[in-house]
Amino acid sequence: MFDAAILILDSTVRLSTPLLLVCLAGLYSERAGVIDIGLEGKLLAGAFAAAAAAAVFGSPWIGLAAAVGVSIALALLHGLACITFRGNQIVSGVAINFLAAGLTALLGQAWFSQGGRTPALGPEQRFGELSLPLAQTLADVPVLGGIWSELISGHSILVYLAFAMAPITWWTLGRTRFGLRLRAVGENPAAVDTAGISVARMRYLAVACCGALCGAAGAYLSTAQSAGFIKDMSAGKGFIALAALIFAKWRPIPAMFACLLFGFLDAAAIRLQGVSLPVIGSAPVELIQALPYLLTVVLLAGFIGAARPPRAGGVPYVKER
Amino acid sequence: MTAPAIELVGVDKSFGPVHANRDINLRVEKGTIHGIVGENGAGKSTLMSILYGFYQADRGEIRVNGRRVRIPDSQAAIALGIGMVHQHFMLVEPFTVLENVMLGAEGGRLLRGGSARARAELARLAREYGLEVDPDAVVGDLPVGQQQRVEILKALYRGAEILILDEPTGVLTPDEADQLFRILDQLRAQGKTVLLITHKLREIMAATDAVSVMRAGRMVATRATADTSVEELAELMVGRRVLLRVDKGPARPGEVRLRVADARAHDAQGVERLRGVSLEVRAGEIVGIAGVAGNGQSELLEAIAGIRPLSAGRIEICGAPLARPDPALARRMGLAHVPEDRHRMGLVTRFPARENAILGYHRAPRYGNGPFLDQGRVLEACRELMAAFDVRPPDPHLKTANFSGGNQQKIVLAREIERDPEVLIVGQPTRGVDVGAIEAIHRRLIELRDAGKAILLVSVELDEIRALSDRILVMFDGRLMGERDAAADERELGLLMSGVGAGRAA
């Protein structure tokens, strides 16, 4: 029983990681007032870029750099459309999703001719599992040993990065000049403008942060969790992360717990696949998978306290009257 | 003699066809409170926005402390020691006072060091100028007067020597306004220069050392406050305009069609905008409401039209009380409403004219065919309206935004009058309308009066009020200051409009 629990929690951590990175990515963008429906697309593009670069250059780090670069480029494209040209942020985000879905499949086929996949990556081309100190020695200690060596240890570096990013983001937003300005620009850009700070610059910085984190999430998907890129491998994670962001009311620490919850639901659904339960028969896997969305809808309907989005979200800043 | 704190020479600014500032010259002495008065739309706010680097002047020169400067953005203005308290506060509401004050002047990448310094500085400013605010309070939770203090603190924290306040008392209670003026006195005593923009003459007389008057984008006069009077300022502000002539016979008032009894209403900020307004409009008369914009006229119109809920009092249309704030209900009771701002409330300018011509009446059976609109009849109705009101071009398919202001207004007026209402309430019927159309619109309103309808007219154009009204009510600060007949002296009305002569209520 304990071992089963550890296993589920272990896969919860793995499944939460991309959600958390993407969720925090969205947080930077949306707290600055730029709504980002295109998280899914940036995640997918990042995954493709990471796998392709890792396959060609043989290093997951080059893959990560490529993923971050491509994802930032897409984020800046979104920024160009919504910040500079004051376009509709939803439309631009949707466009980026389509662009990423189409381009990854097209380029994958053109470059590697494997039906949209990238070549399978060998161990040296992927992010391996890090073994934390004492993981081996403690493995046999009851309870604590299991938690340390199974649950905490043995993940790729991107997992630790993701879970470190939550407190780092909290600290950045709350304790730094950059964070103060970023939050202000999402609430009342006119106040930022009259304080002599460029609204556009702040928003571009924010979407660039968003792109970088999406890229890291993409690299995790294709070069840590899996060994290569598969067509549409993001599979809606960008949208679940968006739901988690709303669920967490745009705050970093709650975002981490929301992502863990949604990751847990996913892990439970996988674990329960085909398992017959007493009374209800086969496990309602689809229902469990739909829970993140259901919970978000319930929250949005105001049952768990109103989620107050950044006030200037979705509104291009226009100075002249 | 020291150089003036601010000197403007020949400043000129246009927004497209709107010439907001024409050849402005202004000299503000150091260590004084200098008032700038003018009606809404006279160009005061634009001028101040130029000083604060929010807009760029098309021509002209700005000198600060005798030195010629360029102010390309707010940062430059701040660096020159110019601080601004905007009419609509530039505050981040979910932030604390401290965070708002620090924003843009954080003093380092991390907030910690800066916030300790800001906290100490706020305490010092609070002592020196009586500007007490809890630095850890969330700004959105503070009353308006306190929020304004935060704005002033923001400017002072950035080292402002010249403080611009744009309509600072518009949102304040009289008590809060008094406190503000005490703070301004303190600032002056410490050698700061204050530019006070307002349209309230009493404040100018009470608080300033010198005053400049703007009208229609021009700076028409500058006086030492001690050497002028409210009467002179009112006259300079309103100006002597060409009197519009409207031929009309004497009114034959019938029974009361519209009654407003002790109406009170608040705006979104919770400020009371109607403070007990009572009036009656009879069939066959035009009652004009004169007043400087922003004294509750808009709220009055909205309340009567059923758009804005009353917090107290009642409205009767054709003898029956308006049971709830519901514009459709008000319409069914016989009311038609030509809103003050046709772009915001009267029209959907992206729609073709034919759709705007039936907007709000689109449920009427005559335009319908079951759940569908009968496009043929809509088109026909629009053609009739356009012919009757001489809308040019008479093209029902033209996008409404492409009509001139006057023709847009004719479409709204035609739509509202065409239903043959018993009561018509009209706001700013000729704002942004060319002279020819003004005449046509005025003629229409008189015809409607002579047909026995009750008309309530709100306009900031005193001439229009005088030309059309059978009775004139003057509104100031949410109250009616008095009633005069159409032959009333312009200066007397001007005084009532600026709140002088209170006590003689209607």
Side-chain angles (χ1 to χ4, degrees):
Chain A
M1 190 58 208
F2 176 73
D3 286 347
I6 287 287
L7 275 181
I8 287 202
L9 291 179
D10 184 50
S11 75
T12 295
V13 169
R14 291 167 197 275
L15 291 168
S16 301
T17 296
L19 293 183
L20 180 54
L21 285 168
V22 175
C23 185
L24 293 174
L27 192 144
Y28 278 96
S29 180
E30 301 211 345
R31 284 299 288 267
V34 181
I35 288 177
D36 198 347
I37 294 287
L39 294 172
E40 173 83 4
K42 287 197 276 289
L43 175 65
L44 189 66
F48 174 76
V56 172
F57 299 105
S59 156
W61 292 101
I62 294 178
L64 177 66
V68 167
V70 164
S71 189
I72 287 182
L74 285 178
L76 293 179
L77 183 65
H78 183 55
L80 188 71
C82 326
I83 303 168
T84 303
F85 294 113
R86 296 169 193 155
N88 184 302
Q89 302 180 358
I90 306 291
V91 172
S92 165
V94 170
I96 281 175
N97 285 340
F98 280 114
L99 186 69
L103 266 188
T104 50
L106 179 77
L107 293 178
Q109 178 61 22
W111 290 344
F112 304 107
S113 308
Q114 296 184 12
R117 288 164 175 265
T118 59
L121 300 174
E124 75 289 350
Q125 295 166 313
R126 295 177 56 201
F127 285 104
E129 295 177 349
L130 293 184
S131 188
L132 294 186
L134 300 180
Q136 296 301 322
T137 9
L138 285 177
D140 295 328
V141 179
V143 186
L144 212 65
I147 290 177
W148 180 257
S149 51
E150 283 295 323
L151 190 56
I152 313 276
S153 172
H155 296 290
S156 88
I157 185 151
L158 292 174
V159 173
Y160 301 110
L161 172 78
F163 283 88
M165 273 317 290
I168 289 174
T169 300
W170 171 83
W171 181 83
T172 303
L173 287 184
R175 297 283 187 272
T176 68
R177 178 174 70 191
F178 172 73
L180 183 77
R181 293 179 174 185
L182 184 136
R183 284 183 288 136
V185 90
E187 293 287 346
N188 186 356
V192 175
D193 196 1
T194 51
I197 306 160
S198 161
V199 173
R201 195 182 110 88
M202 279 315 300
R203 288 192 164 168
Y204 270 112
L205 283 173
V207 297
C209 288
C210 169
L213 288 172
C214 279
Y220 176 79
L221 280 188
S222 65
T223 62
Q225 204 173 37
S226 313
F229 177 82
I230 312 164
K231 192 163 164 283
D232 292 332
M233 79 182 303
S234 55
K237 287 189 177 61
F239 293 109
I240 297 199
L242 205 55
L245 182 61
I246 298 167
F247 199 76
K249 302 179 185 176
W250 291 269
R251 292 169 301 169
I253 301 300
M256 182 174 78
F257 287 108
C259 289
L260 277 171
L261 172 66
F262 291 178
F264 172 76
L265 291 172
D266 203 8
I270 293 169
R271 183 94 180 92
L272 291 174
Q273 208 120 41
V275 175
S276 168
L277 295 176
V279 190
I280 49 171
S282 70
V285 172
E286 292 81 2
L287 184 68
I288 297 174
Q289 281 170 335
L291 266 180
Y293 299 108
L294 288 176
L295 287 173
T296 306
V297 169
V298 167
L299 179 84
L300 278 182
F303 286 109
I304 316 177
R308 201 191 66 78
R311 190 165 304 164
V315 187
Y317 179 60
V318 185
K319 181 158 134 176
E320 295 280 325
R321 53 185 173 185
Chain B
M1 191 177 158
T2 53
I6 289 180
E7 196 171 5
L8 301 179
V9 183
V11 168
D12 214 274
K13 174 77 183 171
S14 299
F15 295 98
V18 183
H19 207 153
N21 285 157
R22 295 169 193 260
D23 192 28
I24 302 282
N25 294 299
L26 175 68
R27 200 184 149 91
V28 179
E29 300 300 337
K30 213 174 274 185
T32 63
I33 300 180
H34 192 114
I36 295 184
V37 285
E39 291 193 294
N40 282 23
K44 306 178 301 256
S45 289
T46 303
L47 189 64
M48 293 307 118
S49 295
I50 290 171
L51 257 181
Y52 194 60
F54 221 52
Y55 300 139
Q56 304 306 304
D58 299 334
R59 271 192 304 285
E61 203 177 304
I62 304 172
R63 297 194 197 121
V64 175
N65 297 323
R67 255 180 340 111
R68 186 176 175 171
V69 295
R70 275 188 62 250
I71 308 181
D73 51 33
S74 309
Q75 196 96 61
I78 294 166
L80 287 166
I82 299 174
M84 175 119 172
V85 175
H86 294 263
Q87 186 173 4
H88 306 287
F89 301 150
M90 296 294 178
L91 295 171
V92 184
E93 291 197 354
F95 279 19
T96 63
V97 171
L98 196 67
E99 286 177 317
N100 266 292
V101 169
M102 288 175 69
L103 182 65
E106 295 87 348
R109 285 187 177 280
L110 301 186
L111 297 180
R112 197 157 41 167
S115 70
R117 237 172 302 136
R119 206 176 276 278
E121 180 70 6
L122 282 184
R124 187 184 70 80
L125 292 171
R127 274 198 313 277
E128 230 162 277
Y129 302 107
L131 280 161
E132 265 111 22
V133 190
D134 173 11
D136 296 309
V138 172
V139 163
D141 298 340
L142 293 175
V144 183
Q146 296 256 319
Q147 292 191 4
Q148 188 171 58
R149 286 187 188 184
V150 179
E151 281 282 46
I152 296 174
L153 284 167
K154 267 170 70 177
L156 295 177
Y157 183 69
R158 287 161 173 71
E161 288 298 318
I162 301 163
L163 197 63
I164 306 169
L165 293 107
D166 190 2
E167 301 283 359
T169 58
V171 292
L172 300 185
T173 63
D175 219 37
E176 288 173 325
D178 287 344
Q179 288 180 19
L180 172 68
F181 290 126
R182 272 200 295 280
I183 291 167
L184 296 186
D185 274 344
Q186 296 266 2
L187 289 170
R188 174 175 52 185
Q190 305 275 342
K192 313 265 185 203
T193 307
V194 177
L195 259 170
L196 178 67
I197 298 147
T198 180
H199 58 247
K200 298 181 184 169
L201 295 178
R202 268 199 305 204
E203 290 173 1
I204 290 288
M205 297 309 292
T208 65
D209 303 305
V211 51
S212 298
V213 184
M214 287 188 79
R215 189 199 326 143
R218 294 177 199 280
M219 193 63 82
V220 292
T222 296
R223 301 272 188 274
T225 309
D227 300 341
T228 187
S229 62
V230 172
E231 288 83 358
E232 187 193 17
L233 291 178
E235 196 178 312
L236 286 166
M237 211 165 114
V238 177
R240 294 233 172 262
R241 298 194 187 112
V242 188
L243 202 68
L244 295 160
R245 297 237 172 267
V246 180
D247 291 326
K248 59 171 187 178
R252 286 182 297 279
E255 59 192 273
V256 174
R257 287 285 158 79
L258 173 69
R259 175 177 285 130
V260 177
D262 199 32
R264 291 172 181 274
H266 295 77
D267 66 10
Q269 276 84 44
V271 178
E272 191 169 49
R273 290 297 185 171
L274 289 184
R275 305 168 191 248
V277 172
S278 299
L279 60 87
E280 286 177 354
V281 185
R282 292 168 179 278
E285 71 168 350
I286 298 180
V287 174
I289 296 201
V292 177
N295 276 293
Q297 303 97 310
S298 311
E299 288 77 8
L300 178 63
L301 279 181
E302 288 172 14
I304 297 173
I307 301 167
R308 180 178 294 276
L310 290 180
S311 47
R314 58 196 255 131
I315 288 162
E316 285 173 23
I317 299 167
C318 300
L322 182 65
R324 56 179 189 275
D326 176 353
L329 176 68
R331 268 197 187 132
R332 283 200 297 276
M333 292 170 70
L335 181 103
H337 176 206
V338 177
E340 285 185 297
D341 184 342
R342 58 180 168 269
H343 293 128
R344 200 166 62 82
M345 293 178 84
L347 296 166
V348 182
T349 50
R350 286 173 171 223
F351 282 10
R354 63 171 192 281
E355 291 180 343
N356 272 307
I358 62 157
L359 206 66
Y361 301 100
H362 48 278
R363 288 193 199 84
R366 55 173 296 206
Y367 300 130
N369 178 12
F372 303 104
L373 279 178
D374 185 331
Q375 291 296 350
R377 265 184 276 172
V378 170
L379 203 59
E380 194 185 318
C382 184
R383 287 224 167 87
E384 281 167 18
L385 289 183
M386 288 179 141
F389 280 78
D390 190 27
V391 176
R392 284 177 238 178
D395 176 2
H397 303 290
L398 189 64
K399 198 167 109 176
T400 311
N402 296 341
F403 287 90
S404 73
N407 284 298
Q408 289 178 356
Q409 188 70 346
K410 282 184 192 169
I411 293 174
V412 179
L413 207 63
R415 178 183 73 205
E416 299 300 329
I417 293 177
E418 200 265 345
R419 305 290 304 178
D420 198 26
E422 288 305 318
V423 181
L424 180 70
I425 58 173
V426 194
Q428 322 298 348
T430 57
R431 179 187 278 171
V433 165
D434 55 284
V435 180
I438 290 178
E439 228 185 290
I441 289 169
H442 284 177
R443 215 170 42 240
R444 280 287 167 182
L445 292 174
I446 296 293
E447 278 171 27
L448 211 61
R449 178 198 76 163
D450 293 341
K453 311 297 182 191
I455 300 176
L456 182 69
L457 167 73
V458 167
S459 175
V460 292
E461 301 294 338
L462 198 50
D463 295 332
E464 180 167 75
I465 293 281
R466 278 156 52 88
L468 291 176
S469 310
D470 302 306
R471 291 190 288 135
I472 300 174
L473 302 172
V474 181
M475 203 161 175
F476 173 77
D477 199 23
R479 293 187 183 90
L480 292 177
M481 301 298 291
E483 180 180 327
R484 299 289 183 270
D485 61 24
D489 178 48
E490 184 168 344
R491 274 193 35 195
E492 191 186 349
L493 290 173
L495 284 180
L496 284 173
M497 282 164 64
S498 51
V500 182
R504 280 186 289 170

